[in-house]
Amino acid sequence: MVAFRALGWLLLALAVAVVVHDLLTWWSEGSYHFSTLGSLWAHLDPGSLGSAQTSARRHLPGSLWNWTVRPFLALPTLPAFLVLGFFLLWLGNRDGDRPDPSFLGGSRPSRKRRSRGLS
């Protein structure tokens, strides 16, 4: 569950980075447009996007690329990262899978004190 929470926080941090990038682009160009997952991938590593497209078209049916991967790459980056990040945080914070709090160094249950003297 810790891995889900860490990945969720990482995606939320990436969403903030995308907002900053989009706002700086808007400031410099004068027009605002949402970054898409495909444009982010092409900006980070253009060679791998081209090779992924080539190998997918070579080894998989062409309709698979056109009907599944291309619409996924056209999604806006900010809502995709926010939704996936919050989902992973929710998945990592579910109460049903948590062990007993005293398990492996967790908090101890409070002990009852014995009364000394007259009361």
Side-chain angles (χ1 to χ4, degrees):
M1 292 302 159
V2 173
F4 288 137
R5 284 187 299 226
L7 192 57
W9 283 114
L10 179 68
L11 283 173
L12 291 180
L14 285 174
V16 170
V18 165
V19 167
V20 169
H21 177 266
D22 286 348
L23 288 176
L24 288 175
T25 304
W26 169 64
W27 182 305
S28 65
E29 293 180 4
S31 63
Y32 186 78
H33 67 281
F34 285 106
S35 296
T36 62
L37 292 173
S39 68
L40 180 66
W41 189 359
H43 181 71
L44 293 176
D45 191 8
S48 68
L49 177 61
S51 64
Q53 182 178 4
T54 303
S55 64
R57 288 188 179 193
R58 184 178 305 141
H59 299 293
L60 299 173
S63 60
L64 185 67
W65 179 266
N66 290 334
W67 291 97
T68 59
V69 179
R70 184 181 278 171
F72 178 75
L73 292 176
L75 289 174
T77 308
L78 179 64
F81 283 173
L82 286 175
V83 168
L84 190 57
F86 282 127
F87 175 72
L88 288 173
L89 283 176
W90 172 79
L91 195 62
N93 284 334
R94 292 191 320 182
D95 288 335
D97 296 335
R98 291 193 180 174
D100 185 26
S102 63
F103 182 73
L104 288 180
S107 61
R108 288 185 185 177
S110 60
R111 295 193 304 176
K112 294 182 181 178
R113 293 185 174 215
R114 294 184 211 163
S115 63
R116 294 185 183 178
L118 301 174
S119 49

PDB file of all heavy atoms in Angstrom, residues 59-73:
ATOM      1  N   HIS A  59       3.680  -5.385 -35.078  1.00  0.00           N
ATOM      2  CA  HIS A  59       3.365  -6.635 -34.393  1.00  0.00           C
ATOM      3  C   HIS A  59       1.901  -6.761 -33.967  1.00  0.00           C
ATOM      4  O   HIS A  59       1.466  -7.852 -33.617  1.00  0.00           O
ATOM      5  CB  HIS A  59       4.252  -6.786 -33.158  1.00  0.00           C
ATOM      6  CG  HIS A  59       5.706  -6.821 -33.480  1.00  0.00           C
ATOM      7  ND1 HIS A  59       6.303  -7.845 -34.169  1.00  0.00           N
ATOM      8  CD2 HIS A  59       6.700  -5.938 -33.227  1.00  0.00           C
ATOM      9  CE1 HIS A  59       7.588  -7.609 -34.320  1.00  0.00           C
ATOM     10  NE2 HIS A  59       7.857  -6.448 -33.749  1.00  0.00           N
ATOM     11  N   LEU A  60       1.162  -5.670 -33.945  1.00  0.00           N
ATOM     12  CA  LEU A  60      -0.234  -5.703 -33.523  1.00  0.00           C
ATOM     13  C   LEU A  60      -1.123  -5.250 -34.671  1.00  0.00           C
ATOM     14  O   LEU A  60      -0.652  -4.599 -35.603  1.00  0.00           O
ATOM     15  CB  LEU A  60      -0.434  -4.767 -32.316  1.00  0.00           C
ATOM     16  CG  LEU A  60       0.368  -5.099 -31.063  1.00  0.00           C
ATOM     17  CD1 LEU A  60       0.194  -3.998 -30.036  1.00  0.00           C
ATOM     18  CD2 LEU A  60      -0.045  -6.424 -30.485  1.00  0.00           C
ATOM     19  N   PRO A  61      -2.402  -5.569 -34.601  1.00  0.00           N
ATOM     20  CA  PRO A  61      -3.300  -5.060 -35.644  1.00  0.00           C
ATOM     21  C   PRO A  61      -3.315  -3.526 -35.640  1.00  0.00           C
ATOM     22  O   PRO A  61      -3.223  -2.887 -34.592  1.00  0.00           O
ATOM     23  CB  PRO A  61      -4.669  -5.604 -35.252  1.00  0.00           C
ATOM     24  CG  PRO A  61      -4.404  -6.715 -34.300  1.00  0.00           C
ATOM     25  CD  PRO A  61      -3.088  -6.443 -33.670  1.00  0.00           C
ATOM     26  N   GLY A  62      -3.445  -2.935 -36.819  1.00  0.00           N
ATOM     27  CA  GLY A  62      -3.429  -1.483 -36.948  1.00  0.00           C
ATOM     28  C   GLY A  62      -4.562  -0.805 -36.218  1.00  0.00           C
ATOM     29  O   GLY A  62      -4.440   0.318 -35.739  1.00  0.00           O
ATOM     30  N   SER A  63      -5.684  -1.490 -36.118  1.00  0.00           N
ATOM     31  CA  SER A  63      -6.827  -0.886 -35.436  1.00  0.00           C
ATOM     32  C   SER A  63      -6.575  -0.749 -33.938  1.00  0.00           C
ATOM     33  O   SER A  63      -7.140   0.134 -33.286  1.00  0.00           O
ATOM     34  CB  SER A  63      -8.093  -1.718 -35.660  1.00  0.00           C
ATOM     35  OG  SER A  63      -7.907  -3.031 -35.161  1.00  0.00           O
ATOM     36  N   LEU A  64      -5.711  -1.598 -33.372  1.00  0.00           N
ATOM     37  CA  LEU A  64      -5.408  -1.494 -31.945  1.00  0.00           C
ATOM     38  C   LEU A  64      -4.717  -0.170 -31.632  1.00  0.00           C
ATOM     39  O   LEU A  64      -5.033   0.491 -30.648  1.00  0.00           O
ATOM     40  CB  LEU A  64      -4.542  -2.679 -31.502  1.00  0.00           C
ATOM     41  CG  LEU A  64      -4.252  -2.763 -30.016  1.00  0.00           C
ATOM     42  CD1 LEU A  64      -5.534  -3.047 -29.252  1.00  0.00           C
ATOM     43  CD2 LEU A  64      -3.231  -3.826 -29.727  1.00  0.00           C
ATOM     44  N   TRP A  65      -3.772   0.233 -32.481  1.00  0.00           N
ATOM     45  CA  TRP A  65      -3.106   1.519 -32.262  1.00  0.00           C
ATOM     46  C   TRP A  65      -4.094   2.682 -32.447  1.00  0.00           C
ATOM     47  O   TRP A  65      -4.141   3.611 -31.652  1.00  0.00           O
ATOM     48  CB  TRP A  65      -1.937   1.690 -33.224  1.00  0.00           C
ATOM     49  CG  TRP A  65      -1.238   3.002 -33.057  1.00  0.00           C
ATOM     50  CD1 TRP A  65      -1.479   4.147 -33.753  1.00  0.00           C
ATOM     51  CD2 TRP A  65      -0.228   3.318 -32.110  1.00  0.00           C
ATOM     52  NE1 TRP A  65      -0.671   5.152 -33.309  1.00  0.00           N
ATOM     53  CE2 TRP A  65       0.115   4.671 -32.294  1.00  0.00           C
ATOM     54  CE3 TRP A  65       0.440   2.594 -31.122  1.00  0.00           C
ATOM     55  CZ2 TRP A  65       1.077   5.308 -31.541  1.00  0.00           C
ATOM     56  CZ3 TRP A  65       1.398   3.235 -30.369  1.00  0.00           C
ATOM     57  CH2 TRP A  65       1.708   4.570 -30.581  1.00  0.00           C
ATOM     58  N   ASN A  66      -4.899   2.614 -33.502  1.00  0.00           N
ATOM     59  CA  ASN A  66      -5.798   3.724 -33.817  1.00  0.00           C
ATOM     60  C   ASN A  66      -6.950   3.856 -32.829  1.00  0.00           C
ATOM     61  O   ASN A  66      -7.420   4.971 -32.582  1.00  0.00           O
ATOM     62  CB  ASN A  66      -6.355   3.573 -35.223  1.00  0.00           C
ATOM     63  CG  ASN A  66      -5.282   3.790 -36.268  1.00  0.00           C
ATOM     64  OD1 ASN A  66      -4.305   4.483 -36.035  1.00  0.00           O
ATOM     65  ND2 ASN A  66      -5.450   3.162 -37.421  1.00  0.00           N
ATOM     66  N   TRP A  67      -7.428   2.747 -32.257  1.00  0.00           N
ATOM     67  CA  TRP A  67      -8.620   2.799 -31.410  1.00  0.00           C
ATOM     68  C   TRP A  67      -8.313   2.785 -29.921  1.00  0.00           C
ATOM     69  O   TRP A  67      -9.200   3.089 -29.118  1.00  0.00           O
ATOM     70  CB  TRP A  67      -9.551   1.648 -31.748  1.00  0.00           C
ATOM     71  CG  TRP A  67     -10.155   1.830 -33.104  1.00  0.00           C
ATOM     72  CD1 TRP A  67      -9.720   1.272 -34.262  1.00  0.00           C
ATOM     73  CD2 TRP A  67     -11.257   2.648 -33.450  1.00  0.00           C
ATOM     74  NE1 TRP A  67     -10.490   1.686 -35.294  1.00  0.00           N
ATOM     75  CE2 TRP A  67     -11.462   2.530 -34.829  1.00  0.00           C
ATOM     76  CE3 TRP A  67     -12.119   3.472 -32.706  1.00  0.00           C
ATOM     77  CZ2 TRP A  67     -12.462   3.208 -35.491  1.00  0.00           C
ATOM     78  CZ3 TRP A  67     -13.121   4.140 -33.378  1.00  0.00           C
ATOM     79  CH2 TRP A  67     -13.293   4.012 -34.753  1.00  0.00           C
ATOM     80  N   THR A  68      -7.115   2.423 -29.515  1.00  0.00           N
ATOM     81  CA  THR A  68      -6.820   2.392 -28.077  1.00  0.00           C
ATOM     82  C   THR A  68      -5.672   3.311 -27.688  1.00  0.00           C
ATOM     83  O   THR A  68      -5.813   4.136 -26.792  1.00  0.00           O
ATOM     84  CB  THR A  68      -6.496   0.959 -27.614  1.00  0.00           C
ATOM     85  OG1 THR A  68      -5.387   0.465 -28.342  1.00  0.00           O
ATOM     86  CG2 THR A  68      -7.679   0.039 -27.770  1.00  0.00           C
ATOM     87  N   VAL A  69      -4.543   3.188 -28.345  1.00  0.00           N
ATOM     88  CA  VAL A  69      -3.359   3.937 -27.924  1.00  0.00           C
ATOM     89  C   VAL A  69      -3.459   5.399 -28.340  1.00  0.00           C
ATOM     90  O   VAL A  69      -3.152   6.296 -27.547  1.00  0.00           O
ATOM     91  CB  VAL A  69      -2.081   3.286 -28.484  1.00  0.00           C
ATOM     92  CG1 VAL A  69      -0.855   4.074 -28.083  1.00  0.00           C
ATOM     93  CG2 VAL A  69      -1.974   1.854 -28.001  1.00  0.00           C
ATOM     94  N   ARG A  70      -3.886   5.676 -29.552  1.00  0.00           N
ATOM     95  CA  ARG A  70      -3.967   7.062 -30.013  1.00  0.00           C
ATOM     96  C   ARG A  70      -4.942   7.898 -29.175  1.00  0.00           C
ATOM     97  O   ARG A  70      -4.588   9.022 -28.797  1.00  0.00           O
ATOM     98  CB  ARG A  70      -4.349   7.115 -31.487  1.00  0.00           C
ATOM     99  CG  ARG A  70      -4.348   8.543 -32.020  1.00  0.00           C
ATOM    100  CD  ARG A  70      -4.745   8.612 -33.453  1.00  0.00           C
ATOM    101  NE  ARG A  70      -3.592   8.300 -34.273  1.00  0.00           N
ATOM    102  CZ  ARG A  70      -3.668   8.116 -35.583  1.00  0.00           C
ATOM    103  NH1 ARG A  70      -4.831   8.165 -36.190  1.00  0.00           N
ATOM    104  NH2 ARG A  70      -2.587   7.853 -36.272  1.00  0.00           N
ATOM    105  N   PRO A  71      -6.153   7.435 -28.841  1.00  0.00           N
ATOM    106  CA  PRO A  71      -7.002   8.242 -27.950  1.00  0.00           C
ATOM    107  C   PRO A  71      -6.413   8.404 -26.549  1.00  0.00           C
ATOM    108  O   PRO A  71      -6.592   9.446 -25.917  1.00  0.00           O
ATOM    109  CB  PRO A  71      -8.322   7.470 -27.892  1.00  0.00           C
ATOM    110  CG  PRO A  71      -8.337   6.639 -29.104  1.00  0.00           C
ATOM    111  CD  PRO A  71      -6.910   6.314 -29.406  1.00  0.00           C
ATOM    112  N   PHE A  72      -5.690   7.401 -26.063  1.00  0.00           N
ATOM    113  CA  PHE A  72      -5.044   7.517 -24.763  1.00  0.00           C
ATOM    114  C   PHE A  72      -3.962   8.595 -24.791  1.00  0.00           C
ATOM    115  O   PHE A  72      -3.823   9.376 -23.843  1.00  0.00           O
ATOM    116  CB  PHE A  72      -4.437   6.165 -24.358  1.00  0.00           C
ATOM    117  CG  PHE A  72      -3.705   6.197 -23.059  1.00  0.00           C
ATOM    118  CD1 PHE A  72      -4.401   6.248 -21.865  1.00  0.00           C
ATOM    119  CD2 PHE A  72      -2.320   6.196 -23.027  1.00  0.00           C
ATOM    120  CE1 PHE A  72      -3.729   6.290 -20.653  1.00  0.00           C
ATOM    121  CE2 PHE A  72      -1.638   6.238 -21.832  1.00  0.00           C
ATOM    122  CZ  PHE A  72      -2.348   6.290 -20.632  1.00  0.00           C
ATOM    123  N   LEU A  73      -3.203   8.668 -25.864  1.00  0.00           N
ATOM    124  CA  LEU A  73      -2.152   9.680 -25.983  1.00  0.00           C
ATOM    125  C   LEU A  73      -2.725  11.076 -26.221  1.00  0.00           C
ATOM    126  O   LEU A  73      -2.028  12.074 -26.025  1.00  0.00           O
ATOM    127  CB  LEU A  73      -1.183   9.314 -27.105  1.00  0.00           C
ATOM    128  CG  LEU A  73      -0.311   8.093 -26.858  1.00  0.00           C
ATOM    129  CD1 LEU A  73       0.536   7.797 -28.086  1.00  0.00           C
ATOM    130  CD2 LEU A  73       0.557   8.284 -25.639  1.00  0.00           C
TER     131      LEU A  73
END
